[in-house]
Amino acid sequence: MYSSGSKKMLNIYILEILRRHTDADHQLSQQQIIDYLQKDFGVECERKAVSRNINYLSEYKYDIRTKGGYYLAEREFDTSELHMLITSVLFAKNIPHNQREDLIEKLKGLASEYFSYSTSSIRTQQIPRGVATENKQMFYTIEIIHEAISKCSQVKFTYNAYGTDKQLHSRRAEPYIASPYSMVAANGRFYLVCHSPRHEGLSSYRIDRITDIELVDTPAIPITSLPGYENGYSGPHHMAEGLYMHMQQPVSVEFRIKKANVNDVLDWFDGDCTFRNETDEYVDVRVTANEQAVLYWALQYGKVVEILKPDSLRKKIRQTALEIYNKHQ
């Protein structure tokens, strides 16, 4: 229930009533709108005033139509868009549970009261309390990063890791200092891409593990001044790089894989690959990718893939496989 409103706000009240109580399948008569004005806003008016204000709203480019009554036809998001956005929120791994519910309710509020969204067919990963999704500062962290990027300022923050108590603990006593450049969404998680004085090139930090972030008066170091990033940074180029989020410059990689696994190659490298030397059973693949990301990817598909180039990556695969073998004797 709203407190008594002013007739000067009548067109705004009518628009809110149409937004909340109508859609293409549910219309309101003038009398029903008058009843809602009294019930929700404590405003009394005549039918002529309703008609006049609806005309004002239509002239102001609100798509109000009649089909046995009035309804608001055009909204910020249509039903399919809202379903997609709500599903995306449900699958976001590092939005705290309570904030996830609040976001979903706000998204539902953009539709009429007749909008329904059932989660019965959605299965999300069950994450116990106290793990990465419980960083209550995450939205504030994102806000400060946006501000720092827009002002070309550095930030300082505490970077944390989870202990066996499933709680965040700072990784070191002194704060991290970084020049932020962008935020990347990869594998359902958010990362800060930045330059840290302790490392060459770029670094990435999980945003849900950042706390106590602050702006620093020191100007950020331009990314174009970093060796190898004269043209900036455009984010992960494919799923493999996004999954492992290593901030190395991409290199040319060639590998041989069973043809039965071509679908996996196209899924992981987003079709950004070249096939050659095809036989009945194998095909050679060339991609431009982060070497460390391909190393982890190749270990995952170890039985069906052989790295051909570069030789440094072949040696890393061999050494890693040997270490795994020794541990499991």
Side-chain angles (χ1 to χ4, degrees):
M1 174 70 71
Y2 292 82
S3 59
S4 296
S6 166
K7 287 189 177 181
K8 294 180 181 178
M9 299 286 290
L10 194 58
N11 56 354
I12 302 300
Y13 296 151
I14 292 174
L15 179 62
E16 178 64 14
I17 289 168
L18 293 174
R19 186 188 68 78
R20 190 181 305 163
H21 300 292
T22 71
D23 57 31
D25 298 317
H26 303 86
Q27 302 84 36
L28 291 178
S29 66
Q30 288 187 359
Q31 184 57 53
Q32 287 173 315
I33 293 174
I34 290 171
D35 292 342
Y36 274 120
L37 284 168
Q38 175 62 45
K39 176 185 175 183
D40 292 349
F41 300 100
V43 173
E44 296 182 1
C45 73
E46 300 177 348
R47 294 189 179 210
K48 289 183 179 179
V50 171
S51 177
R52 182 171 60 251
N53 280 277
I54 287 177
N55 288 334
Y56 291 156
L57 290 169
S58 297
E59 291 173 3
Y60 198 67
K61 298 184 179 180
Y62 285 102
D63 191 3
I64 300 173
R65 303 181 189 179
T66 56
K67 190 177 71 174
Y70 295 102
Y71 72 96
L72 184 63
E74 185 176 351
R75 298 173 180 273
E76 293 89 343
F77 300 98
D78 63 31
T79 300
S80 61
E81 291 170 332
L82 283 174
H83 277 100
M84 181 189 69
L85 289 170
I86 292 173
T87 302
S88 298
V89 172
L90 277 173
F91 281 114
K93 295 181 179 179
N94 50 5
I95 297 179
H97 178 72
N98 290 339
Q99 291 177 319
R100 186 184 304 177
E101 290 185 340
D102 289 343
L103 277 175
I104 290 173
E105 288 304 311
K106 288 177 181 178
L107 287 170
K108 287 181 178 179
L110 296 174
S112 75
E113 63 186 353
Y114 305 104
F115 173 80
S116 63
Y117 183 92
S118 174
T119 60
S120 60
S121 61
I122 305 294
R123 296 292 180 268
T124 58
Q125 180 182 3
Q126 297 300 311
I127 305 176
R129 292 180 179 273
V131 293
T133 54
E134 295 306 315
N135 181 357
K136 300 294 191 283
Q137 297 183 31
M138 193 182 75
F139 285 179
Y140 176 73
T141 298
I142 291 174
E143 180 181 347
I144 295 300
I145 291 172
H146 271 300
E147 183 178 356
I149 292 173
S150 66
K151 293 181 177 180
C152 298
S153 297
Q154 292 188 2
V155 291
K156 69 175 181 178
F157 55 85
T158 299
Y159 196 56
N160 303 274
Y162 279 89
T164 54
D165 59 356
K166 300 181 182 179
Q167 301 298 316
L168 285 171
H169 301 276
S170 59
R171 296 183 64 174
R172 68 184 195 208
E174 67 274 19
Y176 286 64
I177 304 293
S179 297
Y181 303 122
S182 66
M183 286 180 283
V184 173
N187 193 36
R189 297 183 175 92
F190 302 124
Y191 295 83
L192 168 63
V193 176
C194 60
H195 170 71
S196 172
R198 288 176 170 243
H199 306 284
E200 295 182 1
L202 297 181
S203 300
S204 66
Y205 297 94
R206 284 265 297 270
I207 290 178
D208 59 308
R209 296 180 183 173
I210 292 175
T211 57
D212 305 320
I213 191 168
E214 298 178 23
L215 286 174
V216 177
D217 291 335
T218 308
I221 298 172
I223 190 172
T224 52
S225 68
L226 303 179
Y229 295 95
E230 291 81 2
N231 296 319
Y233 173 71
S234 58
H237 292 90
H238 46 68
M239 186 174 170
E241 286 189 2
L243 178 62
Y244 302 114
M245 281 303 294
H246 288 283
M247 300 280 91
Q248 296 175 332
Q249 285 287 66
V251 298
S252 179
V253 177
E254 293 184 29
F255 57 86
R256 181 167 296 147
I257 196 164
K258 284 191 174 183
K259 288 176 63 176
N261 295 92
V262 165
N263 283 335
D264 297 313
V265 174
L266 294 175
D267 283 345
W268 282 88
F269 296 97
D270 297 334
D272 187 18
C273 55
T274 303
F275 297 104
R276 62 194 189 99
N277 301 332
E278 181 178 353
T279 68
D280 290 340
E281 189 174 2
Y282 292 95
V283 65
D284 292 349
V285 185
R286 177 180 293 168
V287 298
T288 299
N290 178 308
E291 185 173 308
Q292 195 71 13
V294 177
L295 184 150
Y296 288 136
W297 179 85
L299 290 172
Q300 180 177 345
Y301 287 89
K303 287 187 175 182
V304 298
V305 66
E306 176 191 356
I307 299 297
L308 303 176
K309 295 179 181 178
D311 191 56
S312 60
L313 183 53
R314 282 181 63 90
K315 290 179 180 177
K316 288 179 182 177
I317 291 281
R318 191 161 56 241
Q319 181 63 35
T320 303
L322 181 61
E323 291 174 2
I324 294 172
Y325 171 79
N326 290 333
K327 286 181 179 180
H328 290 81
Q329 284 199 86

